[in-house]
Structure formats: C-alpha cells, structure tokens
C-alpha cells in the first residue's frame, strides 16, 4: 500500500444506504480503497457488488435519496458534503469519467471535434476558436485517431465503436484531469480494440501521471493494466491489495473463484470454472460473511459473524479462513 499522503483518492468507511418504508437497505458498507498518482486501481465485482455505486458516490452523482457516509478525500480534500457548485468544478475538471457505451456519451448531431472543443471551452472560456481546434486535434492525436484534422469535422456515426470510445476518452482527458474513472470502458468492444484502449490508458498514466480507477468485471483487463485491485462482493470489500500479491495468492474464496473463471491459454482444463449461485439481492442480504451461501469452505461461524480483515503483507482479505492454505481454484499455486 502507498503512503496515504501520495494518494490522489482515499476512500474510507464508505457506506451507501437507501431509505425505504420498511427500513434502510445498505448497498455499500465499510468500503475502503485508494489510488496514487500515475497508478491504476481495478475495482472488480459482479453486477450489484457496489462498484459503480461507490464511484458515483465519489463523483457526487448519486440520487439525493441515497445516504452516503464515510470519507472520500480527493488530493486531501473531503468531497462528501462539498457544495454542489464546488463539486461540479472538480467533476469534469480534476476528476473525469468514461462510461461503457460511447454512443450515449456522444451527441449524434455535433461533430466530434466540436464536442471535444466544447469540453475544453467549459473550463477555458477565454480560448479562441483556433486554439480550441488545435487542442482538440491534439487530443484526437493523443488517443490515436488517424488523420485527426479531417476527423475533427466528422460526426460520431462516421466513427467505428472503438474510435468513438477513444473520442470519449479524449473528451474525458480534455482538461488534464488528475483522476479518471472508467466504468466498464471496453465491455462493448472486441478484443483488438480493447487492447488499443488499454494501451491508451497505459500511455495516459505514464505520460501524464493520470490516476485511473477501472471499474470492471474483467480480471484479464485488470491484470494487464492495474497496479492494485479491490474486489467487492455484495457491497463489501472481499479482498484488496497489490495486483501481484492478490493474483499470486488469493486469500478469499470469491477472489479465487473469479481468477479461476478467467480463460487461460495455458489451461489444460476444457471447462471454465464458474462460481455456483448468484450474489444476494439488496433486499435479502445474508448474515455473517456475505459470500457464505456460495462458499465451498464455509464454517458455521461464517453465517454468524462478519469476518474482520486480515493483512498479508501486500494484500488483505475479509475471510475467517484467509490464513489457511485452502484448496481453492485460482492463483499461481493453485490454492
Ligand atoms: Fe467462505 Fe467463510 Fe471465508 Fe466467507 S468467511 S469466504 S464463507 S470461508
């Protein structure tokens, strides 16, 4: 783990609750994660694990009826409770976001160049049209769009899916953000285009010191790009730490199950591993460890008591049996 002072984003004890007539429903509980400048954090989990919700809370974009508590510090400044106007100036400026579907993020009746220029102008109202165009063309170049001068004047429908996602990334980084939150940025793309997007993220982090939070269910994507990983299950952190440590020796059976489900070219098995069962719904969260109804290693205590976190050098896991050498699938040593 890095020094807290070097982290651009520090999330501690994040809790998101949705009040209802029959009491509140807790969607995210006691979630901690951090990302340093120039670093990539993979925020991983199945649908409903709370990963997107957590990052919407960071961006201040959750509906008003959701109650968010804990601490979200960006470059040392607490964001929870910040007035909307201040939050708006940070969002889109110092923090930017890329969503899954580039078509819904782009305006079909505006040229891509005009859309990038508009994003720049919002934070730099005094720039001339010529300067805006020059910066927008530079951004198209940065995200590897060929013939950027000509492409500036084209519309989104004239771009392929991969090129549209690159335009969305260009808009997101138009104002030199310090933190980029990318929510399933490659899910709708084929594998060769995914590789190009990964290459662009890697370049942005290396050349611009951009910190990136990659929200995904794709561990292969995380393996290729991330420095550290946080795995969420049912709104709680199951395991987190340095990517090598977690991948080499997963301590939580859920992490091991996710790793075993990643296709490998070296695998001798013809079938991919699948984790039996489904995550619990918000309305019916189990007692104790959230994973116990699906866990092959559950003990009676697992249904009774929430496991505490245990540290293992570069990683930590919330599992009563994290210190044991369980015969789990996943990880280099097959445990
Ligand atoms: Fe499985 Fe128990 Fe660990 Fe939960 S605490 S992951 S149920 S062994």
């Amino acid at each position: 783990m890095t020094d807290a002072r070097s982290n651009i984003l520090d999330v501690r004890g994040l809790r998101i609750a949705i009040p209802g007539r029959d009491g509140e429903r807790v969607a995210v509980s006691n979630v901690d994660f951090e990302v340093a400048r120039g670093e990539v954090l993979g925020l991983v989990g199945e649908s409903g694990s709370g990963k997107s919700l957590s990052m919407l809370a960071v961006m201040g974009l959750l509906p008003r009826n959701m109650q968010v508590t804990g601490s979200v510090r960006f470059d040392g400044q607490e964001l929870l409770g910040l007035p909307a106007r201040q939050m708006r100036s940070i969002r889109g400026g110092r923090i930017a976001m890329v969503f899954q579907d580039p078509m819904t993020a782009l305006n079909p009746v505006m040229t891509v160049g005009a859309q990038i220029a508009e994003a720049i102008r919002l934070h730099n109202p005094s720039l001339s049209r010529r300067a805006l165009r020059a910066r927008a063309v530079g951004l198209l170049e940065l995200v590897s769009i060929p013939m950027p001068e000509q492409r500036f004047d084209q519309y989104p429908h004239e771009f392929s899916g991969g090129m549209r996602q690159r335009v969305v990334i260009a808009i997101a980084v138009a104002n030199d953000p310090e933190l980029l939150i990318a929510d399933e940025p490659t899910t709708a793309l084929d594998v060769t285009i995914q590789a190009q997007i990964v290459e662009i993220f890697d370049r942005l982090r290396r050349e611009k010191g951009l910190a990136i939070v990659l929200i995904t269910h794709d561990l292969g994507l995380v393996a290729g790009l991330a420095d550290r990983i946080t795995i969420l299950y049912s709104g709680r952190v199951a395991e987190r730490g340095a990517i090598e440590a977690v991948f080499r020796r997963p301590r939580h059976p859920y992490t091991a199950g996710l790793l075993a489900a990643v296709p490998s070219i070296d695998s001798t098995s013809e079938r991919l591993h699948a984790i039996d069962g489904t995550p619990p719904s918000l309305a019916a969260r189990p007692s104790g460890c959230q994973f116990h109804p699906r866990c092959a290693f559950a003990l009676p205590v697992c249904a009774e008591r929430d496991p505490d976190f245990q540290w293992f050098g570069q990683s930590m896991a919330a599992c009563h049996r994290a210190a044991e050498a369980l015969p789990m699938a996943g990880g280099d040593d097959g445990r």
Side-chain angles (χ1 to χ4, degrees):
M1 299 284 135
T2 56
D3 185 329
R5 284 166 302 178
S6 66
N7 292 333
I8 185 76
L9 181 69
D10 246 301
V11 174
R12 296 285 167 249
L14 185 68
R15 184 178 191 271
I16 303 172
I18 306 159
R21 263 179 297 188
D22 49 350
E24 65 171 17
R25 291 184 174 171
V26 181
V28 166
S29 175
N30 198 26
V31 165
D32 294 351
F33 56 85
E34 64 279 313
V35 59
R37 291 178 193 278
E39 201 179 59
V40 179
L41 165 74
L43 199 55
V44 174
E46 293 167 287
S47 296
S49 62
K51 53 191 192 307
S52 296
L53 220 47
S54 297
M55 293 318 295
L56 288 171
V58 168
M59 298 282 281
L61 289 173
L62 285 178
R64 280 168 178 267
N65 68 325
M66 292 197 184
Q67 292 170 351
V68 184
T69 53
S71 172
V72 174
R73 295 188 87 81
F74 173 69
D75 197 15
Q77 181 182 19
E78 180 60 56
L79 296 187
L80 294 189
L82 208 63
R85 199 164 57 83
Q86 260 175 285
M87 195 62 221
R88 264 198 305 276
S89 82
I90 292 176
R91 201 168 51 223
R94 299 181 68 193
I95 306 179
M97 199 152 182
V98 170
F99 294 96
Q100 184 183 129
D101 182 1
M103 214 42 196
T104 56
L106 294 173
N107 184 338
V109 296
M110 271 175 90
T111 64
V112 296
Q115 294 182 61
I116 299 171
E118 179 61 16
I120 302 167
R121 195 191 59 77
L122 275 175
H123 291 265
N124 303 274
S126 59
L127 279 184
S128 67
R129 282 178 66 129
R130 183 188 289 238
L132 285 172
R133 182 177 178 112
R135 273 184 63 173
V137 168
L139 282 162
L140 285 172
E141 213 167 1
L142 179 73
V143 295
S144 308
I145 298 288
M147 300 184 297
E149 273 287 355
Q150 290 94 312
R151 288 293 191 172
F152 180 96
D153 294 308
Q154 293 183 334
Y155 290 87
H157 73 265
E158 297 175 85
F159 282 55
S160 67
M163 283 167 72
R164 284 197 289 264
Q165 188 60 302
R166 278 182 265 165
V167 170
V168 171
I169 294 168
I171 292 172
V173 300
N175 294 299
D176 285 326
E178 291 148 84
L179 174 66
L180 179 71
I181 298 168
D183 192 353
E184 303 280 7
T186 61
T187 300
L189 306 173
D190 68 47
V191 281
T192 51
I193 306 299
Q194 278 184 19
Q196 290 169 14
I197 301 292
V198 166
E199 204 276 318
I200 289 166
F201 282 150
D202 194 38
R203 185 157 14 109
L204 287 169
R205 145 283 261 290
R206 276 187 285 108
E207 293 177 7
K208 291 182 168 284
L210 186 65
I212 301 173
V213 178
L214 193 60
I215 304 171
T216 183
H217 61 273
D218 183 349
L219 277 183
L221 185 65
V222 172
L225 197 60
D227 303 283
R228 63 173 97 187
I229 185 168
T230 294
I231 295 162
L232 295 181
Y233 184 79
S234 188
R236 301 180 192 187
V237 175
E239 185 159 4
R240 68 192 190 94
I243 196 93
E244 299 86 356
V246 173
F247 275 46
R248 191 177 60 248
R249 174 70 163 92
R251 299 277 178 173
H252 195 291
Y254 180 59
T255 310
L258 290 178
L259 283 171
V262 177
S264 162
I265 205 157
D266 308 319
S267 175
T268 49
S269 167
E270 288 182 7
R271 292 188 56 208
L272 279 179
H273 176 84
I275 304 172
D276 289 337
T278 52
S281 78
L282 200 54
R285 291 271 158 97
S287 59
C289 171
Q290 297 293 293
F291 191 56
H292 85 258
R294 302 172 74 186
C295 183
F297 304 101
L299 300 172
V301 66
C302 301
E304 292 160 12
R305 199 161 49 80
D306 217 358
D308 292 328
F309 278 105
Q310 294 183 60
W311 271 103
F312 301 93
Q314 293 285 298
S315 69
M316 66 197 298
C319 171
H320 290 302
R321 308 190 67 182
E324 297 177 43
L326 298 173
M328 298 190 285
D332 286 355
D333 57 4
R335 285 178 297 173

